[in-house]
Amino acid sequence: MHDNESISDMFTRFTTIINSLKNLGKSYYNQELVRKILRCLPKSWTPKVTAIEEAKDLSTLPLEQLLGSLMTHETTMKNHENVEVKKKKAITFKASKEDSESDEDGEVALITSQF
């Protein structure tokens, strides 16, 4: 899997390679395909790979279920990144001090002090 590649793009490339190998007479069991996909994931996916390996029986795990689990995790990671980016953005206001106080300024000052 490439660095900025999505799971679905990686899986499309993977399927193309596997289908080409089938045409050449090489076939793989589902368990082998699942293990190959888990091995090709980047290091940032290591916690998810470990969780899948420990929680699921890889010999019976369907490839489609693995793909769904990985896509869900990818979406969750992207959502967390978006939240972190939004938290980092801050709005600052420039304060200015005016010497003249009109009735409106006095009322605003009174409201803000009560608030």
Side-chain angles (χ1 to χ4, degrees):
M1 182 172 172
H2 300 294
D3 290 335
N4 294 324
E5 187 176 30
S6 69
I7 291 293
S8 59
D9 291 341
M10 179 274 302
F11 188 72
T12 301
R13 281 189 320 107
F14 181 79
T15 304
T16 302
I17 293 168
I18 294 302
N19 288 340
S20 297
L21 288 170
K22 279 184 184 178
N23 289 336
L24 295 172
K26 177 65 177 168
S27 61
Y28 293 97
Y29 293 108
N30 185 64
Q31 178 182 2
E32 293 173 302
L33 298 176
V34 167
R35 290 190 184 279
K36 286 182 183 298
I37 287 179
L38 291 176
R39 274 196 316 254
C40 80
L41 295 172
K43 289 188 185 239
S44 61
W45 286 75
T46 302
K48 182 63 177 177
V49 170
T50 304
I52 290 172
E53 288 174 344
E54 290 180 358
K56 310 251 185 211
D57 181 13
L58 297 183
S59 62
T60 60
L61 179 65
L63 197 56
E64 295 79 19
Q65 186 178 355
L66 173 66
L67 179 63
S69 178
L70 294 175
M71 289 176 78
T72 302
H73 182 67
E74 179 182 50
T75 303
T76 303
M77 287 182 359
K78 285 182 181 178
N79 287 341
H80 285 295
E81 288 174 6
N82 290 340
V83 168
E84 288 177 8
V85 168
K86 287 181 182 178
K87 285 182 179 178
K88 288 181 182 179
K89 291 182 181 179
I91 299 174
T92 58
F93 296 100
K94 184 176 180 181
S96 63
K97 184 176 181 181
E98 294 181 16
D99 290 336
S100 65
E101 286 191 31
S102 66
D103 289 335
E104 290 179 7
D105 288 340
E107 290 174 6
V108 171
L110 180 61
I111 292 172
T112 55
S113 68
Q114 290 176 352
F115 182 66

